[in-house]
Structure formats: structure tokens, C-alpha cells
Amino acid sequence: MKYIFSIALIGLCGFGFSQDDPIKINSEVKSVTVYPRGAQIERSATKFLSSGRQFVVFTGLASELEASTVSVSADGGINVLSVSSQVNYLKETAKPKNLIILEDSLKTYEFDHQFNQNMVGIYAEEKNMILSNKSVGWGGAGGDFLIEDLEDLSDFFRDRLADNMLKTMELEQKQKRISASIQRLRKQINEHNAKLNRSTGEVLVEVYVPSNANAHFTLSYMVQNAGWLPAYNVNVMDVDKPLQFSYNAKVFQNTGVDWNDVTLTLTNANPNLNGNKPELHPWQLYFVENSGSLYGRPEAFSNKAMPLATSDDKVSEAESFEMGSVVEYPVNQAVTQFKIKTRHNIPSNGKPQGISIDVFTVPARYQYYCAPKVDPAAFLVARVWDFNQYDLLPGEANLFLSNTYVGQTFINPGTISDTLDLSLGRDQSIVVKREKVSEFCDSKRIGSNIKESIGMEISVKNTKETKIFLVIEDQVPISTNKEITVDVEDKSGADLNTQTGLLRWTKNIMAGSSEKMSFKYSIKYPAEKRINF
């Protein structure tokens, strides 16, 4: 029979628990359920316990665990009587082997640095001694000056000073290399020590053991400094093949404890939602002096002014992590879970780690799009229909064309209609030109008005070896004043949206062929005024 004990815990900050010598138990992280903000950690441990009533303490836990979420269970008929928690600020953690090696290397470099510094000082003293004894004396028994002595002295000074300066330069260069190595080692050691010196959480459990046995414990709790974000890779190998969709997750945690070889479950559920049911209180009518605000909400006493409540009224926006992304909990979105098949290592460094969730293909229709008034280039666009059926979550998507990165977009199923358009970059093999047609352009005065006539021509050449389906868009102006009139005289078969002035052509252009489209419009306005065109 298994007993589970979960209560509101008491956070203690003293030197230890009040009980004498509790039995220390080391546990391992076995599985983690990661939310967009927060994670539930499940640990397991085994310890031989003698019969009777006693205290055990689970050490090496996350220091910022939420005390009210701790749950402890034990099998073998062991009763869990009480649970409490504390933060251990004084625990000394054994140094890992790689840190010991780094510290030994640092000592060696520091010794070499000091030795070289001393040698530089010795050579400096030698140079001063040489220069202080450079006076030329008089040789010979009669005190006559001998040229041989001057030559010997000159050779000595040149050789000794050259050797002295060369040795000094070599030492100074070596000092720079050693100093750089020392700085790198110190930074690496400081990073390791920062992890070692972090406080750890502990959970004290009072248990009753009916008989001597190996006790198997399961411990779970929530932490907030962890989370995940969806991310996608979309690859188009060819324009006649489906999209290759890679569903990924960016998982991060900074709990102070590495997750090694753990089973991960990712979910978009919100563990911070208030679980209490709402209650309605009597609604009393009364006279008010003015229509000011009540409790910070305008006209909060009025049904007419009060907006409908939404499920995110009590949900705060999740914190950003170091990539700069913000997690937002969707409103009324179904809860999705992903159980990752392979086990993973997630270090406690706050850096997002990519994890593959799924890979699948998505049927798509490919077309080219061009708006030559803005950019005289054709862009390949993949259109995906019935996009909502894939149950994707909001996230960034990297776009690839034949495994070549072409850009990035953001997929938000909550704001996308049934059709998703993905721009896959420019295609230089489609040449587009847009230019005025001089014989269509004219300006003349008619009575008290000016009439401006403008004609444009768009030419497209397909230099590809296959035909393409191309959408071309341009525009004519629209009037916002009754004194200004716009008349579209020719649109060359384009669809015209009279509300926006948008012109739209759809063309199948064969390989190596060209197409031309033209449109003409006129604007009439009072002669004494000017317009923006």
C-alpha cells in the first residue's frame, strides 16, 4: 500500500531543522513536466530504514521550490507523517574533477607569471648595471688610451645589451599570453564556483517505518525558473513537394540543479490559474455623483460599461528568458502535451536547448508573388490550407529552401485564418520591371480643374526552366475628398478592389516567356489646390 502526503509546507531559514540528526537521502531527477512558465520535478530515492518513527531529509534540491507544491510518497507500508522545507545556505559541495583540474592549471600559470615577472626585474637590474659602468678608462702602464680597449668595450656593450633586450622582449610577450590564459581560467572557475556556492533546498519528512526495509520514495515539487517555447523549422525541397515541418521546443531552466538523463513532458497548460470557483454577490443599485471610475475600472458598476470577463484576467504575462521571447498563455486553448520519447540533459544555465518533438509533411501550394511598386522582385510563397488541423502552438519558424536558410517568421494559430502564407524569399530568375508609359501620361486644365492622366506598364520574364504561377499586385489611388475624383480607364484584366485601390493579376507564365500588364487612371482636382501623388 502506498501513502502520499502533501501539505502546505513551512519555509525555514535557520542552520537546519530542529530535529536531531535526520537521515540524509540523495535523490535523482527522473521526470520533469515543463510548462510555458514553470516545471514540476519528480525525483526518486531509495534508502534502508530501520523500524520506528524517524526523520529523513532530502538534500540537493532546487532552492526556489514552491513549498506548497511539495508531495512525498513512500511504499512498503511506510507512513508519511509530516513534511517541511528549508533553504540550506551553508552546504559545502564537493568540487568536481574538472574544477580541480582548472584550479591546478591556474596555479601553474600563476607560478610561471610570477617567475617571469622576477626575471624581467633581474634583466632590468643587469641593464642598469651595464649602463652605469660604460665609462672608458685609460689603459697601459703610462696611462695611454688604447683603441683595443674601446673596441672590446663596445663589443661587450652591444652584445650584452642586445641579449638583455631580446630576453626582456621574449618574457614580456610570454607574460601577455600567460595573463590571457589566467583570465580565461579565472572566468571559467568563477562560473563553476557560482554553481557550487548556490543555496540548495531541503525537504524534511517524518516517517513511521513498521519494519526494517529499503524505503522507496517519490518526491515532487514545482519551480518557476524554467519553461519552454515552441519553435519550427520549415523546409521546402522543391516547389512540387510538400513542406517538411519540424516541430521543436526550446527548453530552459535555471533551478540550480542540472536535469541529467530525464524524461520530459512538455505542455501548454497554465499551472498558475486560480482553481477556486467564482461567486456572485448581491448587486445593489444606488445613486452616484458622477460616472467616474470604481476600483480602477471605468463605470465598474454598470453592465453596459463592464467588459465581459475573460479567462486570462487573473493570468500575468510570463517572464522573458535570455533569448528575449515572451510566453503568453492562450485564452480557451485546449491543453496539449508532448511526451518526449528520448531522455535528455538540461543544464541549469538558463540557456534554451533545442529538443525535437515531431517531424511531418504538410501539403502546400506554391506560387510567386510580386508588388513591383514596392520591390521589383518575385517572392516564392507556400500556401497551406486547413492549417488549424495541425494543432500548433505560437512560435518562431525558421524557413529553408532546399536546406538553405531564407528567413524567419512567426506562426500564431490564434490569429491565422485557415490559410497560412509562408514567404520563402526572392527568386532572381524571374525578372520584373515597372515603368511609366509616356504616351499615357498627360496633365491638362479643364475649366477650374486639373486632370492628371497616368499610365504604368509591368513586364515579367520567366527565365526558369519550368512554368510559374505568379500573383502581381499594384494599386491606384483612392479619394478621401469629394473634390478629388479618380477614374480607372484601363486595368488590363486585373481585379480591382474599389475600397482599397488594389489591382491584382494572376498569371501562368511558361518557361522562357514574358507577360506584360498595363493600367491607366486619371485624377481630377481643383486647379488652385495640390494633392499628394
Side-chain angles (χ1 to χ4, degrees):
M1 182 177 182
K2 178 180 286 188
Y3 294 88
I4 300 177
F5 191 90
S6 180
I7 63 171
L9 299 127
I10 305 171
L12 305 174
C13 298
F15 287 92
F17 296 98
S18 59
Q19 289 73 19
D20 295 331
D21 299 325
I23 300 172
K24 294 183 178 180
I25 298 180
N26 294 322
S27 59
E28 295 182 353
V29 179
K30 290 299 183 183
S31 64
V32 179
T33 300
V34 187
Y35 300 89
R37 179 188 177 188
Q40 180 176 341
I41 299 173
E42 184 173 299
R43 307 176 73 105
S44 64
T46 301
K47 187 73 173 181
F48 179 82
L49 298 178
S50 57
S51 61
R53 188 167 178 159
Q54 53 200 291
F55 289 91
V56 297
V57 58
F58 295 91
T59 60
L61 311 179
S63 61
E64 298 180 8
L65 63 86
E66 296 185 8
S68 61
T69 65
V70 176
S71 176
V72 180
S73 65
D75 60 7
I78 297 174
N79 292 327
V80 177
L81 304 178
S82 67
V83 178
S84 58
S85 70
Q86 77 164 8
V87 177
N88 188 338
Y89 296 97
L90 302 177
K91 180 181 179 181
E92 295 185 2
T93 305
K95 293 182 180 180
K97 184 177 179 181
N98 59 341
L99 178 57
I100 295 175
I101 294 174
L102 289 174
E103 290 180 339
D104 290 342
S105 299
L106 178 61
K107 291 178 182 178
T108 301
Y109 277 113
E110 288 176 339
F111 177 83
D112 291 343
H113 187 276
Q114 186 61 48
F115 177 80
N116 289 338
Q117 192 66 37
N118 294 337
M119 290 301 298
V120 170
I122 290 173
Y123 282 117
E125 291 295 328
E126 181 186 59
K127 180 180 178 181
N128 292 334
M129 181 185 67
I130 294 172
L131 294 176
S132 63
N133 291 277
K134 63 183 179 180
S135 300
V136 179
W138 293 97
D144 296 331
F145 175 77
L146 299 178
I147 191 65
E148 292 83 359
D149 292 341
L150 181 59
E151 291 175 349
D152 291 342
L153 185 61
S154 177
D155 291 340
F156 172 78
F157 269 88
R158 181 176 57 254
D159 293 342
R160 290 303 301 159
L161 284 176
D163 182 67
N164 181 285
M165 292 180 180
L166 179 61
K167 292 277 179 42
T168 301
M169 291 174 61
E170 290 176 349
L171 287 171
E172 289 175 347
Q173 291 296 322
K174 190 175 182 181
Q175 284 293 79
K176 291 181 180 179
R177 294 193 297 270
I178 293 175
S179 296
S181 298
I182 289 175
Q183 287 183 347
R184 290 194 298 268
L185 282 171
R186 285 176 177 170
K187 288 180 180 178
Q188 192 68 40
I189 290 172
N190 290 337
E191 185 174 342
H192 281 282
N193 285 331
K195 294 182 179 180
L196 289 177
N197 295 331
R198 290 186 65 163
S199 57
T200 59
E202 296 180 349
V203 170
L204 181 72
V205 182
E206 184 182 8
V207 297
Y208 175 75
V209 184
S211 60
N212 296 351
N214 279 324
H216 301 283
F217 290 95
T218 299
L219 168 69
S220 68
Y221 53 86
M222 286 286 300
V223 293
Q224 287 298 320
N225 42 359
W228 76 285
L229 285 172
Y232 308 96
N233 287 337
V234 182
N235 191 14
V236 178
M237 294 304 298
D238 205 341
V239 293
D240 59 352
K241 294 181 180 179
L243 291 172
Q244 294 181 358
F245 225 91
S246 298
Y247 201 157
N248 305 310
K250 295 178 180 179
V251 182
F252 61 96
Q253 65 105 349
N254 192 26
T255 63
V257 179
D258 294 338
W259 301 344
N260 296 320
D261 195 32
V262 299
T263 300
L264 288 175
T265 300
L266 308 178
T267 178
N268 67 329
N270 183 359
N272 300 313
L273 284 175
N274 188 350
N276 297 326
K277 69 178 185 66
E279 294 184 5
L280 289 175
H281 299 282
W283 176 16
Q284 299 176 344
L285 294 178
Y286 51 89
F287 290 107
V288 294
E289 296 296 330
N290 53 54
S291 59
S293 63
L294 183 63
Y295 303 115
R297 301 184 65 171
E299 307 261 349
F301 47 80
S302 170
N303 266 353
K304 293 187 294 183
M306 181 180 293
L308 293 176
T310 60
S311 62
D312 62 346
D313 279 348
K314 296 183 179 180
V315 181
S316 61
E317 188 179 72
E319 296 173 351
S320 303
F321 67 109
E322 70 176 31
M323 293 181 59
S325 301
V326 176
V327 180
E328 292 185 355
Y329 292 106
V331 178
N332 297 329
Q333 181 170 315
V335 173
T336 303
Q337 277 195 350
F338 303 100
K339 293 187 177 180
I340 309 303
K341 298 178 182 179
T342 57
R343 303 174 76 89
H344 286 272
N345 299 326
I346 311 294
S348 176
N349 55 16
K351 299 178 181 179
Q353 181 167 322
I355 292 176
S356 176
I357 296 177
D358 195 9
V359 178
F360 52 93
T361 58
V362 177
R365 179 183 175 185
Y366 300 93
Q367 66 182 36
Y368 289 89
Y369 172 83
C370 181
K373 180 181 180 182
V374 180
D375 192 328
F379 293 80
L380 178 61
V381 177
R383 307 203 76 191
V384 182
W385 278 266
D386 297 328
F387 186 74
N388 293 331
Q389 67 175 304
Y390 299 102
D391 294 328
L392 302 181
L393 300 174
E396 292 181 347
N398 295 316
L399 304 178
F400 297 85
L401 183 59
S402 299
N403 294 320
T404 300
Y405 178 78
V406 294
Q408 190 177 71
T409 187
F410 189 87
I411 297 177
N412 188 356
T415 59
I416 295 175
S417 61
D418 287 343
T419 303
L420 171 68
D421 289 340
L422 298 175
S423 178
L424 301 172
R426 303 164 182 264
D427 193 329
Q428 303 295 339
S429 59
I430 301 173
V431 181
V432 182
K433 291 183 179 180
R434 180 183 189 267
E435 54 190 355
K436 285 185 177 182
V437 182
S438 57
E439 57 265 30
F440 290 165
C441 298
D442 185 24
S443 178
K444 58 184 176 180
R445 186 182 182 110
I446 303 176
S448 61
N449 294 319
I450 297 291
K451 182 179 179 181
E452 300 279 358
S453 297
I454 300 171
M456 304 296 298
E457 183 180 77
I458 301 172
S459 60
V460 180
K461 184 175 183 180
N462 177 20
T463 64
K464 299 174 70 69
E465 297 179 356
T466 58
K467 74 173 183 178
I468 62 170
F469 179 77
L470 177 64
V471 175
I472 308 104
E473 289 186 344
D474 213 301
Q475 64 181 163
V476 294
I478 56 177
S479 174
T480 59
N481 190 298
K482 64 181 181 180
E483 294 184 287
I484 303 173
T485 59
V486 179
D487 183 24
V488 179
E489 300 172 2
D490 179 26
K491 52 189 178 70
S492 188
D495 293 328
L496 172 62
N497 186 325
T498 57
Q499 300 297 319
T500 63
L502 185 68
L503 292 165
R504 182 182 177 93
W505 293 268
T506 56
K507 298 285 185 179
N508 283 306
I509 304 178
M510 303 304 294
S513 64
S514 301
E515 288 277 352
K516 289 186 178 181
M517 293 135 284
S518 60
F519 61 97
K520 180 182 178 182
Y521 62 94
S522 62
I523 305 171
K524 187 168 67 173
Y525 60 94
E528 72 276 7
K529 296 182 180 180
R530 301 182 63 183
I531 60 174
N532 59 324
F533 80 100

